[in-house]
Amino acid sequence: MPRPDHTRALHAALLTAARGLPVIPLSRTKLPAVRSPHRDEPRSAVMCRGECGRPGHGVHDATTDPARIRALFAVAPWATGYGVACGRGPHHLIGLDLDVKHGADGIGALRVLAGTHGFTVPDTVTVLTPSGGRHLWLTAPGPVPNSAGRLAPGIDVRGEGGYVVGPGSRTVAGRYLLAPGGADRPLAAAPAVLLRLAVPPPAPYERQARHAAGPRHPAEKRAAALVRFVLDSHEGERNGRLFWAACRAYDAGLGDVLAPALVTAAVHTGLTEREAAATVASAGRLRAAPHG
């Protein structure tokens, strides 16, 4: 007989998936509940991201298909929660994790950040965490990388390759609940300024190249560095690195010229041409958006 926490988590996961957000079952420790099918295999097998066709690949198992969700929960009857995958199209969900523990005040830090940079924190789906913090769910035009404390102390970003604990989950710390009225709130778009702040700073080699070449670094060298940055991508970071490179290209006024080369480089790393072109186009739309 399924335990009540398991049943509640499954029901909540199905409701979230109905909004177009892919989910996976989680254990009470907030880790993916389905055990890896490769746990007894050679270390080389850990690079599998679900290509083997078996469940147990963490966030790569995330789905919106009700039948698959039920099947994942069925093989993990100990699951008491679920995770919502971030960074996936069409929403490219971002989870802003606002901590209020260990001396941090992520909620206050976000208010200060918004006041300093002149943007408004939108009214969106908000999840109350057991520690008293908040998870804000926002959409983006393209994938945004994960980060911890980059925006401000107490603010973590859950982006591509990450997940947030869904409302209705029970963990060792307690329950995750929707804020009042949250069930009726639509997902809000992240402010363009906030997205710009969430993009990582230039890579060390690019900063060094700029310094070596002086303040008027040639456009050709910058373009080559961005293409190399994409070509150096590995599984799990390809979309994020492509999005970062495309943003930098548009910032430098090279976006339209460099876009085909960035798409070609991304295809060499394993992305499809359609995926790569969509990511570059998303960066172009973001950089063209008003700074508000």
Side-chain angles (χ1 to χ4, degrees):
M1 184 104 179
R3 293 179 298 174
D5 284 341
H6 179 88
T7 302
R8 279 192 288 265
L10 171 59
H11 178 67
L14 290 168
L15 290 176
T16 298
R19 302 185 73 158
L21 298 169
V23 299
I24 53 169
L26 298 181
S27 68
R28 290 174 64 85
T29 60
K30 300 192 291 186
L31 294 174
V34 181
R35 298 188 177 106
S36 170
H38 306 295
R39 59 187 179 275
D40 298 323
E41 297 177 15
R43 290 178 60 87
S44 59
V46 301
M47 295 305 294
C48 180
R49 297 295 184 267
E51 296 86 356
C52 67
R54 294 174 289 176
H57 298 85
V59 73
H60 301 285
D61 289 345
T63 179
T64 58
D65 180 359
R68 289 176 60 194
I69 293 168
R70 292 182 185 279
L72 288 171
F73 271 82
V75 298
W78 51 84
T80 59
Y82 66 100
V84 186
C86 297
R88 302 269 192 93
H91 298 297
H92 295 294
L93 181 71
I94 302 169
L96 280 190
D97 183 355
L98 310 178
D99 265 335
V100 291
K101 57 186 179 183
H102 307 307
D105 180 9
I107 298 173
L110 182 60
R111 284 196 297 266
V112 172
L113 195 70
T116 301
H117 293 276
F119 66 85
T120 300
V121 179
D123 185 26
T124 190
V125 175
T126 302
V127 178
L128 310 180
T129 70
S131 65
R134 302 283 188 276
H135 288 172
L136 305 187
W137 293 10
L138 301 167
T139 66
V144 172
N146 294 286
S147 64
R150 176 182 294 136
L151 291 175
I155 303 179
D156 294 344
V157 176
R158 303 288 182 241
E160 185 185 27
Y163 60 86
V164 288
V165 179
S169 298
R170 176 179 282 281
T171 70
V172 290
R175 285 199 177 279
Y176 286 72
L177 303 170
L178 273 176
D184 300 322
R185 287 179 182 159
L187 287 169
V193 172
L194 181 62
L195 290 177
R196 290 187 181 94
L197 294 171
V199 172
Y205 75 83
E206 188 182 354
R207 289 199 297 267
Q208 292 165 5
R210 286 181 182 175
H211 179 75
R216 296 184 63 83
H217 185 55
E220 294 84 359
K221 290 185 179 180
R222 182 176 299 180
L226 292 173
V227 171
R228 284 200 307 274
F229 184 73
V230 174
L231 286 171
D232 289 342
S233 302
H234 298 290
E235 180 79 28
E237 63 180 18
R238 295 174 301 196
N239 250 322
R241 289 173 75 96
L242 175 60
F243 187 66
W244 179 91
C247 286
R248 290 290 178 264
Y250 280 103
D251 287 344
L254 304 171
D256 292 337
V257 174
L258 194 56
L262 292 176
V263 170
T264 300
V267 170
H268 278 294
T269 70
L271 291 180
T272 67
E273 185 172 356
R274 183 177 180 180
E275 288 174 321
T279 295
V280 172
S282 295
R285 289 193 297 270
L286 172 61
R287 275 356 199 196
H291 288 237

